[in-house]
Amino acid sequence: MLDYIIVGSGLSGIAISEKLLAKDKKILVFDDNSQSSSTVAGGIYNPVILKRFTLAWNANEQLDIALSFYGSLEKKLNINLVQALPIYRRFHSIEEQNNWFSAMDKPYLSRFLDEKLVSTINPHIPSSHSFGLVKETGVINTEILLEKYRDYLAEINSFQQETFDFDHLKINEDHYTYKNWKAKKIIFCDGFGLKKNPYFNYLPLNGNKGEYLIIKAEGLKLEVAVKSSVFIIPLGNDLYKVGATYNNWDKSKEPTEDGKNYLLEKLNGFLKCDFEVVDQVAGIRPATNDRKPLVGQHPEYDNMYCCNGFGSRGVLIGPTVASELISNIEDSIPLSEEIDIRRFAKLYQTASL
Ligand SMILES: Cc1cc2nc3c(=O)[nH]c(=O)nc-3n(C[C@H](O)[C@H](O)[C@H](O)COP(=O)(O)OP(=O)(O)OC[C@H]3O[C@@H](n4cnc5c(N)ncnc54)[C@H](O)[C@@H]3O)c2cc1C
């Protein structure tokens, strides 16, 4: 008898798996690569919303928890995951510069916004206004994390590379049966795959498609991330990620010509050096209207849970929210109301009518 079946090994499934393994639970994780949000993510951890200069939801608390979580995974998997990387916000007007200084007076933001503005950061990214430095930011190499974590799960016989087929799930009085496996509990960490999940698809999850270009720019020599109309994130070897797009309408997984043209138009607006596009990637962010995660127990079935809705901030949100869910299940510590899916109980009643 397994303690838990986990469906999905993106940022959510990995954080959930780690919390359970730390409690010596016997787990089995399914993944079929049907979603790619965690793999293609920029991997940025940045507590500040750079459009409005506000603190992202609970980000100052999540940051410390996330860094310690990914740091411990680096040791466990013997890989480099965390790279501190300053982010420079390129201002487009004097008003934006003034907003930066006003934001510094807001609670918690002075920790992250540098008071000294910089006039130039790179000869190929000119600006008539200054740049503001966001402190304590960086990137997690999510592609390596997902690959190595799945290898690790496979080594401990806890990974099944296959589609979790809901037709094979049987709900018994005190356990679940799936094909030849039995498990006491099941947690769905299926990202935008939730739309095909008959138990949780009543939840208001909106896919938001994001695309990145990978460019090669040999002359650029940029060692910091820059946020202008889009981000430029250095990857090493003269490669850079450029993006991302935000699209609420297109739910297809493939990169698009429209996405490419949009990003090129933005990039050409501020990058003044030669470059070539070498790749393009896309994924669907599991986003919610209230911008809070979707976490907790199914309204009808005991011991069936979901951990989803990380939107565009899975790197920071994942470790904190996974920890809350496991403390809730294992130690009966109540979930905070703002993430608990009980806030959508009425939607379940309506869907069941
Ligand atoms: C272009 C882009 C850029 C981003 N940049 C950042 C960033 O810089 N920083 C940041 O914090 N966040 C970023 N995000 C958001 C971040 O990627 C998400 O918040 C996060 O990846 C969500 O993780 P998840 O595990 O919930 O979902 P997913 O990553 O989608 O994982 C769900 C997993 O479940 C599996 N699955 C689903 N259904 C089934 C099934 N039936 N059977 C088996 N397996 C199944 C899928 O294959 C997938 O591996 C970005 C997203 C995109 C698209």
Side-chain angles (χ1 to χ4, degrees):
M1 174 79 85
L2 296 162
D3 291 309
Y4 286 84
I5 283 176
I6 299 163
V7 179
S9 64
L11 291 174
S12 171
I14 289 176
I16 288 287
S17 302
E18 272 302 280
K19 299 290 161 193
L20 289 173
L21 290 172
K23 288 184 175 287
D24 286 330
K25 299 294 171 189
K26 208 168 164 208
I27 65 171
L28 182 64
V29 182
F30 289 81
D31 205 301
D32 62 354
N33 289 322
S34 53
Q35 295 296 324
S36 53
S37 185
S38 298
T39 322
V40 305
I44 291 179
Y45 56 89
N46 161 31
V48 183
I49 297 175
L50 290 173
K51 211 171 184 180
R52 300 188 293 272
F53 309 138
T54 50
L55 190 74
W57 171 72
N58 287 352
N60 54 326
E61 294 155 29
Q62 292 163 357
L63 178 64
D64 301 329
I65 294 169
L67 286 180
S68 125
F69 175 76
Y70 297 113
S72 65
L73 272 178
E74 281 188 319
K75 288 197 191 109
K76 175 171 175 161
L77 304 175
N78 197 18
I79 50 174
N80 289 328
L81 290 174
V82 187
Q83 185 200 348
L85 184 71
I87 297 176
Y88 281 89
R89 170 67 153 83
R90 181 174 176 267
F91 298 121
H92 302 108
S93 62
I94 293 285
E95 195 192 350
E96 275 194 345
Q97 281 180 204
N98 293 339
N99 291 346
W100 178 272
F101 285 114
S102 315
M104 288 186 65
D105 296 331
K106 290 184 198 156
Y108 308 116
L109 276 169
S110 59
R111 172 178 164 190
F112 302 113
L113 303 184
D114 202 299
E115 58 192 318
K116 274 198 216 128
L117 300 188
V118 181
S119 54
T120 48
I121 50 155
N122 183 290
H124 303 291
I125 308 180
S127 178
S128 353
H129 303 283
S130 316
F131 296 81
L133 167 66
V134 190
K135 298 182 284 186
E136 299 189 48
T137 55
V139 283
I140 303 296
N141 190 331
T142 55
E143 201 177 346
I144 296 283
L145 169 62
L146 263 68
E147 183 195 323
K148 297 294 178 192
Y149 199 77
R150 287 173 193 187
D151 289 349
Y152 158 72
L153 287 176
E155 268 167 36
I156 59 167
N157 293 321
S158 294
F159 189 63
Q160 280 299 121
Q161 167 98 41
E162 65 176 70
T163 301
F164 185 87
D165 179 351
F166 292 90
D167 291 342
H168 290 279
L169 182 66
K170 289 206 181 75
I171 303 172
N172 309 296
E173 207 176 321
D174 61 350
H175 69 277
Y176 291 90
T177 315
Y178 181 75
K179 296 186 178 172
N180 291 328
W181 292 283
K182 285 180 180 176
K184 293 178 195 156
K185 299 182 169 81
I186 182 161
I187 307 182
F188 291 101
C189 304
D190 40 4
F192 190 61
L194 178 138
K195 288 287 171 198
K196 291 187 184 158
N197 179 332
Y199 298 99
F200 288 104
N201 64 4
Y202 71 93
L203 289 169
L205 188 82
N206 310 315
N208 182 290
K209 181 166 178 174
E211 299 188 48
Y212 270 123
L213 296 180
I214 315 296
I215 62 161
K216 186 160 184 118
E218 285 179 353
L220 181 55
K221 307 295 175 215
L222 180 70
E223 286 175 1
V224 295
V226 177
K227 169 73 172 81
S228 184
S229 47
V230 285
F231 258 107
I232 303 186
I233 309 164
L235 300 174
N237 298 326
D238 297 322
L239 295 171
Y240 301 86
K241 251 182 186 171
V242 174
T245 59
Y246 289 82
N247 185 326
N248 281 320
W249 298 277
D250 177 9
K251 312 291 182 194
S252 65
K253 286 181 208 157
E254 296 74 29
T256 62
E257 211 44 37
D258 279 357
K260 181 177 175 179
N261 292 337
Y262 171 88
L263 292 172
L264 283 177
E265 190 192 317
K266 297 287 176 198
L267 185 63
N268 283 320
F270 69 95
L271 180 67
K272 305 297 169 198
C273 74
D274 291 339
F275 64 86
E276 59 172 319
V277 177
V278 294
D279 200 3
Q280 187 178 355
V281 291
I284 312 280
R285 302 175 184 90
T288 56
N289 281 347
D290 63 6
R291 291 168 191 268
K292 303 286 187 314
L294 299 168
V295 184
Q297 179 165 274
H298 190 273
E300 200 173 332
Y301 303 114
D302 286 348
N303 300 321
M304 178 187 278
Y305 306 87
C306 84
C307 188
N308 209 322
F310 295 177
S312 56
R313 293 188 170 262
V315 169
L316 277 185
I317 291 177
T320 302
V321 163
S323 187
E324 266 206 61
L325 178 59
I326 301 308
S327 305
N328 173 251
I329 302 172
E330 292 290 323
D331 307 316
S332 306
I333 297 172
L335 283 175
S336 44
E337 280 175 24
E338 54 184 352
I339 67 168
D340 195 329
I341 53 171
R342 276 192 285 191
R343 70 193 190 276
F344 297 114
K346 277 198 181 134
L347 291 181
Y348 184 70
Q349 286 156 12
T350 317
S352 332
L353 287 178

